[in-house]
Amino acid sequence: MHLPFDLRSKASTDNYITRPGEGFQQEVQQAYDQTNFRDTECQMIKINEDQKVIAHITMAVENYDALKYAQRQEEDKNDGEEAPPSVVEEAHWKLGAPLRRISTQDWETLEAGNPAFRQFESKLTTFLNKILAADDRPSQLLLLHPYQCIYLQYRSLKNWQENRDILRCNPNFYSNPCYDCVVINTQPISFGHIYALFSCQGPLKINHYIALIGKFQATKWKLKTKWDGCRVFEEKEYDFVLLKYLIRGCHMIPAFEKSGKVFDLNDLVDGDTFIRFFLEE
């Protein structure tokens, strides 16, 4: 007697399909076959719950495997250069996109138009002499191993979960220069522009991993429209920093009036930046 109602509700039967119903019947039959054929309803509900949990776990494992595979593919990318060797990894950072080894003199000559590389060799030698033991200080021309990407792992102050930033320093990243900004673990914290990532060895053959950065310093120049918590910086000088002191990436917004020389800090990128840069200022 329900046929007239069904026709009025769903139109003629050529719009119907029996596949969903038949598929459900197969699942029910399989669950029923696993029971002891007494009080089957409770047993079938439990079997269905177990199947849902198994499906959820399987999906989570498959998604995790897919994510790890995508991460490995990303780490293996080298921005158009030859296939790189395995990335270098430490406690909270990982280097990717390695390039061919180059001497300090050749790199300084190659980047002659970049102010960050002025007196690159002499400044690097001075930096290494300050941080290294006397028997590991360079006594001859240094050979550097450059990289164009760093992965920084950090714990968010918002929810205490592990997050990761991918930062690049590539003069030709998809036909455009890409020099990301980073937070440096100083007291108080400071900010910098990453212009180079590289490793080098002294006489003791110990690898030292270093970043060449443009240091952001507070400036007296003020924005025309200033808001609460506004922090304005100017990139005035360049220095070297060990990679172990890098915390996470940050977003610096260029001030339109100053042609890219002055930046204001964006502390609204995510919850961690708001807490780390604004509330704890």
Side-chain angles (χ1 to χ4, degrees):
M1 298 298 294
H2 60 80
L3 183 58
F5 174 79
D6 290 343
L7 290 174
R8 285 193 296 268
S9 301
K10 303 294 183 180
S12 60
T13 55
D14 56 2
N15 295 317
Y16 299 173
I17 183 171
T18 60
R19 186 184 300 274
E22 291 178 352
F24 177 73
Q25 291 174 10
Q26 292 174 4
E27 294 179 3
V28 172
Q29 182 64 47
Q30 292 172 359
Y32 180 80
D33 292 340
Q34 298 178 49
T35 68
N36 61 2
F37 309 110
R38 295 181 180 179
D39 299 324
T40 58
E41 183 176 351
C42 294
Q43 298 179 58
M44 292 173 65
I45 291 175
K46 183 63 170 63
I47 292 170
N48 183 66
E49 290 176 350
D50 292 342
Q51 290 176 342
K52 295 296 184 183
V53 171
I54 293 172
H56 182 76
I57 294 174
T58 302
M59 184 180 299
V61 172
E62 291 175 350
N63 290 340
Y64 176 81
D65 290 341
L67 178 62
K68 295 298 291 184
Y69 177 79
Q71 290 177 355
R72 288 194 297 269
Q73 293 297 312
E74 175 67 23
E75 291 166 358
D76 289 341
K77 288 181 180 179
N78 60 342
D79 305 334
E81 299 295 331
E82 293 182 352
S86 301
V87 293
V88 179
E89 182 175 1
E90 290 292 339
H92 78 286
W93 57 264
K94 185 185 299 184
L95 286 172
L99 302 178
R100 296 185 182 91
R101 296 182 185 274
I102 188 172
S103 69
T104 51
Q105 289 182 354
D106 291 341
W107 204 358
E108 183 175 344
T109 302
L110 184 65
E111 297 285 351
N114 190 340
F117 283 83
R118 290 174 185 168
Q119 300 179 344
F120 175 76
E121 183 180 13
S122 62
K123 290 181 179 179
L124 177 59
T125 302
T126 302
F127 173 77
L128 293 175
N129 288 337
K130 288 181 180 179
I131 66 169
L132 299 182
D135 54 352
D136 197 28
R137 292 172 182 170
S139 57
Q140 56 186 0
L141 184 66
L142 280 171
L143 191 63
L144 309 180
H145 193 179
Y147 298 82
Q148 292 184 328
C149 178
I150 184 170
Y151 304 81
L152 290 177
Q153 199 84 13
Y154 66 95
R155 187 179 299 277
S156 172
L157 297 183
K158 177 185 177 182
N159 51 22
W160 305 109
Q161 293 183 353
E162 293 290 334
N163 291 332
R164 187 183 71 163
D165 282 347
I166 303 176
L167 306 180
R168 300 186 182 274
C169 55
N170 190 336
N172 187 24
F173 185 66
Y174 291 98
S175 303
N176 290 290
C178 180
Y179 298 104
D180 289 327
C181 299
V182 68
V183 183
I184 306 168
N185 188 12
T186 54
Q187 190 62 36
I189 60 173
S190 55
F191 309 92
H193 234 144
I194 304 178
Y195 286 101
L197 299 164
F198 58 90
S199 65
C200 62
Q201 289 184 348
L204 299 182
K205 303 300 181 182
I206 300 175
N207 283 320
H208 306 287
Y209 298 95
I210 302 170
L212 171 62
I213 63 165
K215 298 173 65 176
F216 288 113
Q217 299 177 354
T219 179
K220 296 181 180 179
W221 183 84
K222 298 183 182 299
L223 295 168
K224 292 182 179 179
T225 304
K226 190 174 181 180
W227 59 91
D228 291 342
C230 176
R231 301 176 64 183
V232 184
F233 297 90
E234 185 174 0
E235 187 177 344
K236 294 183 177 180
E237 59 184 51
Y238 306 93
D239 202 355
F240 296 96
V241 175
L242 295 176
L243 297 191
K244 65 181 181 180
Y245 294 116
L246 304 184
I247 300 177
R248 59 157 296 170
C250 63
H251 182 212
M252 291 290 186
I253 305 173
F256 294 109
E257 298 93 331
K258 302 298 287 185
S259 303
K261 296 181 180 180
V262 176
F263 302 79
D264 63 89
L265 174 65
N266 183 2
D267 55 16
L268 298 176
V269 174
D270 52 37
D272 177 73
T273 59
F274 182 73
I275 297 173
R276 195 184 296 267
F277 305 147
F278 182 77
L279 295 184
E280 295 192 354
E281 182 181 0

